[in-house]
Amino acid sequence: MSVITVPQDFDEEDLYVDIERIFGQALLLKCEGFNFAGSIKLKAAAEMVASAERDGSLTADSVLVESSSGNLGVALSMIAASKGYRFVCVTDSRCNLATRLMMEALGGEVHLVAGQEANGGFLGARLDHVRRLCASDDRYVWLSQYSNPANWKAHYRTTAPEIARSFPRLDVLFVGAGTTGTLMGCARYFRAWHRPVRIVAVDTVGSMAFGGDPGRRMIPGLGMSMRPPLLDDSYVDEVVRVEEADTIRACRRLARSGFLFGGSTGTVVSGAVGWLTRHERQGLTSVAIAPDLGERYLDTVYQDNWVQDLYGADPLDTAYPAQHHAHSPL
């Protein structure tokens, strides 16, 4: 029996889903959505808040503020509620309605940025809004998930050792790339491990995290409209880019087998299955990190009209063959 007094004290860290029967490739998903925040972002949120408390930048009268497409905002709303802080999340129209309502239910204040800044897309507009808030009142404390080292240190301290304990013969690790906190924490940990582990970053087509041309991205979570300040690509062996239509297809195929995962997880799964299909090596121990669950995507990824309006009918066919995603070694 587990008894807790604050929500961040519960986080299932040792649950894996074997999806070989669904996709035909030996791949285990580390499920990070079974906590009260519903995603892996709980780890980064807890570490960044604790770090700010330790260095004295976060005090009782502070107002936490962060730019988030959703999951980190929920995690910070939850932690702020449990600790008695005010919290303001700056997001944009891609943030799922369920996510916005959840932040507000937890006592968070949601600022929805409507326009896109000329060069930085939605992210640039969100960051501009955060900077204006901070300039208006010195009580605002911006944790800055994009540049805060506590983001990657959270995963160096927790996520990577959890995987290492369960899989001492790990060969390949697939990690989605957003802020790259999870990616960099895990990659740094396994660089110093007792055996080489191939680190494959999974990004979404249209993201500029690893270079390339910007494009439309409608599913929140992974991808960036700039190079992430936390990223050191010398720790990354390969990058796989996934079309959003394939993200949707992977999510829906998982759901047809009873596993309702979120958009970030669908992207990682699609990229990982594509990589394993291309390489066709037997006996690999392969793990992918599943950042989130699917309830918050019921009105987008799992809503037929939304999908058809943006991507056509193809993603609705879960038997549609996975694309050979663009990939590049680093």
Side-chain angles (χ1 to χ4, degrees):
M1 181 176 70
S2 297
V3 178
I4 62 173
T5 57
V6 293
Q8 57 269 32
D9 280 352
F10 171 73
D11 193 3
E12 172 57 60
E13 65 181 38
D14 199 28
L15 176 64
Y16 293 82
V17 175
D18 184 345
I19 62 171
E20 184 171 8
R21 72 178 180 87
I22 304 172
F23 290 95
Q25 294 292 339
L27 181 65
L28 294 165
L29 292 185
K30 186 181 193 304
C31 299
E32 291 282 351
F34 289 98
N35 55 57
F36 282 98
S39 82
I40 196 171
K41 289 293 189 177
L42 176 61
K43 291 175 172 176
E47 189 75 20
M48 290 191 295
V49 168
S51 177
E53 289 174 333
R54 285 193 300 268
D55 67 23
S57 60
L58 187 58
T59 61
D61 64 344
S62 295
V63 181
L64 283 168
V65 61
E66 186 56 273
S67 159
S68 170
S69 61
N71 285 337
L72 182 72
V74 171
L76 285 172
S77 293
M78 189 191 80
I79 291 172
S82 75
K83 289 176 171 283
Y85 296 119
R86 282 182 57 201
F87 171 62
V88 176
C89 180
V90 180
T91 189
D92 59 63
S93 59
R94 295 171 303 172
C95 181
N96 299 323
L97 176 60
T99 301
R100 300 203 301 269
L101 294 175
M102 188 173 296
M103 287 189 275
E104 291 171 345
L106 290 165
E109 182 180 332
V110 179
H111 290 195
L112 190 64
V113 176
Q116 296 189 44
E117 188 270 340
N119 298 316
F122 283 114
L123 178 57
R126 289 185 349 219
L127 297 183
D128 283 348
H129 187 80
V130 170
R131 293 185 186 103
R132 285 194 295 270
L133 288 176
C134 291
S136 72
D137 190 330
D138 60 11
R139 290 178 301 167
Y140 282 104
V141 175
W142 180 19
L143 296 175
S144 187
Q145 62 166 324
Y146 309 103
S147 58
N148 192 329
N151 186 345
W152 70 260
K153 288 178 181 178
H155 302 287
Y156 186 93
R157 187 174 61 82
T158 61
T159 311
E162 290 160 9
I163 295 169
R165 285 195 297 271
S166 295
F167 300 97
R169 304 297 294 173
L170 180 67
D171 294 302
V172 187
L173 180 64
F174 299 93
V175 189
T179 66
T180 66
T182 308
L183 175 66
M184 295 314 304
C186 291
R188 283 188 166 95
Y189 181 92
F190 284 110
R191 176 64 60 91
W193 206 39
H194 69 89
R195 62 180 276 127
V197 174
R198 188 159 191 84
I199 302 295
V200 180
V202 183
D203 199 7
T204 183
V205 170
S207 165
M208 299 178 68
F210 295 91
D213 297 325
R216 183 189 71 170
R217 292 181 292 115
M218 300 303 297
I219 300 173
L222 301 185
M224 289 274 281
S225 56
M226 64 181 187
R227 180 181 173 86
L230 294 177
L231 176 61
D232 180 347
D233 52 23
S234 68
Y235 287 93
V236 180
D237 296 299
E238 195 168 344
V239 178
V240 176
R241 293 177 173 86
V242 176
E243 296 278 0
E244 286 191 331
D246 289 330
T247 291
I248 294 165
R249 191 173 292 113
C251 284
R252 285 168 168 254
R253 192 163 174 180
L254 285 161
R256 293 298 184 271
S257 295
F259 295 105
L260 194 72
F261 283 107
S264 296
T265 297
T267 301
V268 173
V269 167
S270 181
V273 169
W275 189 95
L276 291 168
T277 300
R278 287 190 301 273
H279 287 76
E280 295 182 347
R281 286 178 56 189
Q282 298 297 314
L284 285 179
T285 299
S286 303
V287 172
I289 297 175
D292 55 358
L293 301 179
E295 291 91 338
R296 296 171 200 171
Y297 297 82
L298 292 176
D299 58 349
T300 55
V301 168
Y302 295 103
Q303 215 287 324
D304 287 359
N305 290 338
W306 185 88
V307 172
Q308 286 183 288
D309 287 347
L310 291 172
Y311 308 97
D314 280 349
L316 302 180
D317 181 3
T318 56
Y320 192 87
Q323 301 296 309
H324 282 193
H325 311 296
H327 64 289
S328 58
L330 289 173

